[in-house]
Amino acid sequence: MTDADGSGMSAVTKATRVLECLAEAGELTAAELAANLGEPITTVYRMLGNLESIGWVERGERKGAPVRLGIDLVALGHAVETSLDLRAAARLSLARLAEETAETAYLCVPDGQRGVCIERVDGKYTRTAELTIGGSLPLHQGAGPKAILAFSPADVRDNYLRALRGSQSNPITEPEAVKLERELDAIREAGAVQSDGDITPGVFSVAAPVVDHRGQVIASITLSALNARDDARHREFVQLVRREAAAISTTLGHHDADH
């Protein structure tokens, strides 16, 4: 992709250079940016207009109409940083779960009304889980997504249930909604989700929530195995998953590990 000015430099590359200059300087006018980049000021104005329209730059406070990095870009950067921190913090716990149990452990994060797997460590003997990396499920299905929904604030749960009731493609009945509400209450009381073949027949999964420094649920970790019909092992899974979820939460700055 090239710009109409024939420079051969892609619009994305130019926009990146603009953002890098602003990140280093704090605030710059269009003229200052043009001088730094070696670009015509008309090109810089065009790029700034595009970047401002998506919230990546905003007007600064100095005289001369300077611009600076926009709050939306700052928020995006924080989200990326948080995601990287979360995956790094979770990787050790997932590996520890897989090593201790020889089963599969994975990390889920919310994405709208779905839970998405963003990290996974396969077990030694079985490679089974409800989700592969990049896979997703509705928040009311599967242990990992359901843990996120159950421990989310009440208004988030209510809005999700309302959306399910009004779904055009696959609405749930009122008795089903009431049953789901009760299940979510029971999950919060227990501190973890236990799923026995709900998604994959013969697979038992346990999931617990991960919370950040504000106490908000941002993820869940899940341990999945072939169902051995061993209640003692299932109870062990619950304790292990809750332990590792608390460890990740503590690493992310949450002070009350018993969440």
Side-chain angles (χ1 to χ4, degrees):
M1 180 177 64
T2 60
D3 276 352
D5 60 13
S7 67
M9 184 180 295
S10 73
V12 172
T13 301
K14 289 184 178 182
T16 300
R17 291 181 60 199
V18 168
L19 297 175
E20 289 173 345
C21 286
L22 292 175
E24 182 177 348
E27 289 185 358
L28 291 171
T29 66
E32 290 168 338
L33 278 168
N36 287 346
L37 299 173
E39 294 286 342
I41 194 166
T42 53
T43 299
V44 171
Y45 275 128
R46 183 169 64 250
M47 287 191 292
L48 290 177
N50 291 334
L51 292 170
E52 187 175 9
S53 70
I54 60 175
W56 285 18
V57 302
E58 62 186 21
R59 301 295 176 182
E61 297 178 353
R62 290 192 295 119
K63 293 181 179 180
V67 292
R68 62 190 178 192
L69 295 180
I71 190 64
D72 287 355
L73 182 62
V74 175
L76 178 61
H78 178 71
V80 171
E81 182 181 10
T82 299
S83 177
L84 292 174
D85 289 346
L86 172 61
R87 291 183 68 181
R91 198 170 291 119
L92 179 61
S93 285
L94 297 180
R96 195 156 45 217
L97 286 171
E99 181 179 358
E100 290 186 26
T101 65
E103 307 295 358
T104 299
Y106 60 94
L107 173 72
C108 267
V109 296
D111 181 18
Q113 295 186 341
R114 300 181 72 85
V116 181
C117 175
I118 64 170
E119 193 65 73
R120 168 173 161 156
V121 176
D122 287 329
K124 181 178 180 181
Y125 300 118
T126 59
R127 293 193 175 189
T128 178
E130 295 166 341
L131 290 170
T132 57
I133 292 180
S136 69
L137 286 169
L139 288 175
H140 67 292
Q141 295 179 9
K146 197 174 288 183
I148 294 171
L149 178 62
F151 291 91
S152 292
D155 62 326
V156 173
R157 300 194 305 270
D158 291 343
N159 290 337
Y160 184 85
L161 287 166
R162 190 177 303 112
L164 280 182
R165 291 183 176 100
S167 171
Q168 298 296 317
S169 58
N170 190 27
I172 63 172
T173 64
E174 189 57 31
E176 289 172 331
V178 171
K179 180 181 178 181
L180 178 56
E181 284 184 296
R182 291 174 178 169
E183 182 182 4
L184 297 177
D185 288 341
I187 289 169
R188 291 196 303 278
E189 180 69 23
V193 180
Q194 297 186 53
S195 170
D196 189 353
D198 295 346
I199 302 299
T200 306
V203 172
F204 177 79
S205 299
V206 175
V210 173
V211 299
D212 64 10
H213 63 284
R214 298 165 296 182
Q216 296 182 358
V217 177
I218 58 171
S220 66
I221 58 170
T222 304
L223 185 62
S224 292
L226 293 178
N227 194 341
R229 303 290 180 185
D230 185 340
D231 289 343
R233 193 165 192 243
H234 292 172
R235 288 194 295 272
E236 178 192 14
F237 277 16
V238 172
Q239 294 304 314
L240 290 174
V241 171
R242 290 192 64 186
R243 180 196 74 191
E244 295 302 332
I248 299 169
S249 300
T250 300
T251 299
L252 295 175
H254 184 60
H255 297 298
D256 181 9
D258 186 18
H259 58 273

